[in-house]
Amino acid sequence: MAPAILSENWRESQPALWLFLLKLSACLTLGARGWLTWQADSPIRGLFWQEAWWSSLLKNSAGIPWDDWAKESDPYITITLSCIGLILIAIAIVPWLLSFLPKLRWLLWLGAFFLVVDSFARWVASDYDIGMAIEHSLQMSAPIALFFFGKGTAATKQTGRAMTFLLLIATGFTFAGHGFYAAEIHPVPLSYQTMTMKLLGCSESVAVGFLLVVGVLDILAALALFLKPLRRPALLYCVAWGLLTALARIASHFSLSASWWNLDPWLFETTVRTSHWLLPLLVLGLLRKGGTMPK
């Protein structure tokens, strides 16, 4: 059965609000990731230094020994990452131009591509943890959803339903990915622990226990998204907890004496997670009363 989770009058019911939320999510995700790639480096750098992937290719096609590549490639990789960051920042403007330049929506795919590459690089750097493979699903989905939903796109009711279902799946993946780390299915990141200790003013053991509880809740919420009676409460949890965990990045590094630039990169680490709460909020708004999902 096709997912029937979208309002029958989805284009007519609050269209300006839905479109604004999508534009805002895509803009902030692309812009913040672009800034972080440009100014704070990116795990994409590590992809260029995978010796097992590139050493034979470099040797056979260009005659470059791996040791020479490892010693001399860093400046070129830095320039490449800076260009990627600036491209993402430029694409972040595209959502606000779609009303009168709809063909620019194709650039959203380029932005989505770089988000996928960034997420893939994080997965490789994590030694292929499943949680890392899925936790950026909402970020990667933001420009894609705007491409299909955005003004100027021939979005049918069926397309709308499919894309809303995609966002529901992406929400489940993102929160399951968070939960796998917090619940110690994967090693708990030190950053999770230190943020929790700073914000709660607690010991390390209490922070680990707290993360375990919320990690389990994240996984349960991800599963509950696909149970019709629990879908709305689960989405409300995702909106609230997604917002709080995004704000935790800046709150744990904030002081009254700090200037805004002292919050870089934490301001952008918060901003890049906008889709973690805004897109679940959008899905919640698009759900119709009595809608059904595949069992």
Side-chain angles (χ1 to χ4, degrees):
M1 181 185 299
I5 59 175
L6 193 64
S7 171
E8 292 294 331
N9 59 343
W10 73 276
R11 293 291 284 181
E12 291 77 21
S13 176
Q14 304 295 330
L17 175 60
W18 307 146
L19 190 56
F20 174 77
L21 293 180
L22 275 171
K23 287 181 177 181
L24 184 63
S25 180
C27 171
L28 294 180
T29 300
L30 292 165
R33 182 59 69 202
W35 180 273
L36 291 168
T37 303
W38 178 35
Q39 293 292 318
D41 207 15
S42 167
I44 295 174
R45 183 182 298 275
L47 296 181
F48 291 99
W49 287 339
Q50 294 290 325
E51 184 175 359
W53 298 1
W54 306 115
S55 58
S56 296
L57 179 63
L58 288 169
K59 183 69 174 178
N60 297 333
S61 64
I64 302 175
W66 178 256
D67 288 345
D68 290 350
W69 169 259
K71 291 176 183 177
E72 300 174 8
S73 60
D74 186 67
Y76 303 102
I77 296 171
T78 298
I79 292 172
T80 300
L81 293 178
S82 295
C83 291
I84 291 173
L86 291 171
I87 290 170
L88 283 170
I89 292 172
I91 296 175
I93 303 172
V94 168
W96 311 111
L97 303 177
L98 294 179
S99 297
F100 49 93
L101 292 172
K103 290 186 178 180
L104 288 180
R105 71 183 186 275
W106 292 98
L107 290 174
L108 295 170
W109 282 107
L110 180 60
F113 169 76
F114 285 131
L115 293 178
V116 170
V117 172
D118 181 90
S119 182
F120 175 74
R122 294 173 192 277
W123 179 52
V124 172
S126 73
D127 290 328
Y128 305 99
D129 287 345
I130 294 175
M132 187 59 70
I134 61 178
E135 77 163 334
H136 294 93
S137 296
L138 280 170
Q139 293 181 34
M140 293 183 285
S141 298
I144 297 173
L146 179 59
F147 176 86
F148 286 103
F149 273 139
K151 186 175 182 180
T153 303
T156 64
K157 186 186 301 183
Q158 289 73 24
T159 300
R161 287 174 175 170
M163 290 309 303
T164 307
F165 190 47
L166 169 66
L167 293 181
L168 195 71
I169 294 174
T171 300
F173 280 174
T174 294
F175 281 85
H178 289 169
F180 287 170
Y181 282 103
E184 299 185 71
I185 295 174
H186 301 313
V188 182
L190 181 60
S191 61
Y192 281 26
Q193 297 180 38
T194 54
M195 280 193 299
T196 303
M197 291 167 65
K198 284 182 180 180
L199 292 172
L200 299 183
C202 62
S203 65
E204 180 180 349
S205 60
V206 172
V208 171
F210 174 81
L211 288 170
L212 175 61
V213 171
V214 297
V216 171
L217 289 175
D218 280 354
I219 295 170
L220 291 176
L223 295 173
L225 291 173
F226 302 96
L227 300 174
K228 183 181 174 182
L230 300 177
R231 190 173 303 130
R232 284 183 175 80
L235 281 168
L236 286 171
Y237 170 87
C238 292
V239 172
W241 190 237
L243 177 59
L244 289 174
T245 53
L247 291 174
R249 268 72 184 178
I250 194 170
S252 60
H253 295 85
F254 176 78
S255 68
L256 293 175
S257 61
S259 302
W260 76 269
W261 52 84
N262 297 126
L263 293 174
D264 182 18
W266 304 111
L267 175 63
F268 297 96
E269 290 287 358
T270 292
T271 305
V272 80
R273 289 168 172 81
T274 300
S275 59
H276 293 194
W277 60 271
L278 192 54
L279 291 183
L281 178 64
L282 176 65
V283 174
L284 186 64
L286 290 174
L287 288 174
R288 71 173 184 188
K289 187 175 181 179
T292 59
M293 288 283 292
K295 297 287 191 288

